[in-house]
Amino acid sequence: MFVTGDKQERESEVVDIRENSSYCRSLPDYPLQAQYASGGILNGQPLICGGIVGLEESNNATNECYVYNATSLTWALFANMNHKRYGASGVTLDNKRFLIMGGSSQTNANSTSEYILSDGSVEVGPITPYIGLEWHCLVRLDDGKVIIINQFKG
C-alpha cells in the first residue's frame, strides 16, 4: 500500500500492509503540494496523478503524473494527462495500464477517463457514465472488470 502525506505536507511514505509491523519507509518529498490526487502502482512503481496544487480553495488542478524511482530514490514527471483533475479515482489494470476516471476541474474531467501507460504515454479511456464522476471509487475485480462506486447526492 502506498501512502502520501496530508494536505499541509509533501511527505510520502510506503506502508506494506502484508507485513505485521508498523514500519514505514519515508520517501523524498513529493514534488507538488497536492491534495485529492489519485494513484496506484504501475509497473512496480508508485504513480500519483492530478490533484489540487497549493491551497484547496484555489481549485488549481494539475494534469501531471509523477512516478517514484526506487533506484534513483527520486520522483520524476512521468506523464501529462489530457485533462486537469482532482477528486478522480484511479485503478491499476495490469502492469502496463493505470485507468484514471472522472474528478473535478475547470473542464469536463468528470465525464472523461484516461489510460496512463507504462511507457509514459496517455490514451483516451472508456466513456464514463452520463452522470459524471466526482469523489467516487474504482475497484478492479478478480475477473478484470472495474466497478464504479459513485457518490450520489439527493
Side-chain angles (χ1 to χ4, degrees):
M1 170 183 265
F2 175 69
V3 179
T4 186
D6 66 23
K7 65 183 181 180
Q8 302 299 320
E9 302 292 334
R10 296 178 356 199
E11 297 173 351
S12 305
E13 7 182 70
V14 173
V15 177
D16 186 348
I17 60 174
R18 295 173 295 183
E19 297 293 322
N20 196 12
S21 70
S22 60
Y23 172 75
C24 296
R25 181 172 62 106
S26 293
L27 301 176
D29 287 350
Y30 186 65
L32 305 174
Q33 185 175 340
Q35 38 191 326
Y36 309 120
S38 182
I41 304 295
L42 182 62
N43 204 19
Q45 298 176 307
L47 172 78
I48 300 177
C49 294
I52 293 176
V53 179
L55 300 174
E56 181 176 357
E57 298 78 25
S58 73
N59 289 338
N60 184 20
T62 183
N63 67 334
E64 295 175 345
C65 294
Y66 287 86
V67 69
Y68 178 73
N69 184 312
T71 304
S72 66
L73 305 176
T74 60
W75 289 98
L77 181 62
F78 184 70
N80 285 301
M81 298 180 291
N82 296 315
H83 294 274
K84 295 178 178 185
R85 58 181 83 229
Y86 65 92
S89 187
V91 64
T92 302
L93 300 176
D94 50 44
N95 264 345
K96 299 185 188 257
R97 296 178 303 156
F98 178 78
L99 173 65
I100 189 164
M101 185 176 278
S104 299
S105 74
Q106 301 297 330
T107 63
N108 63 340
N110 69 347
S111 62
T112 65
S113 70
E114 305 178 59
Y115 292 111
I116 311 303
L117 304 180
S118 61
D119 66 0
S121 61
V122 177
E123 293 180 356
V124 173
I127 297 170
T128 62
Y130 71 93
I131 53 175
L133 296 171
E134 297 175 330
W135 312 109
H136 59 290
C137 182
L138 298 178
V139 178
R140 183 180 176 274
L141 304 175
D142 288 340
D143 64 3
K145 293 179 182 175
V146 174
I147 187 169
I148 301 168
I149 302 167
N150 199 20
Q151 170 184 317
F152 290 99
K153 297 178 183 171

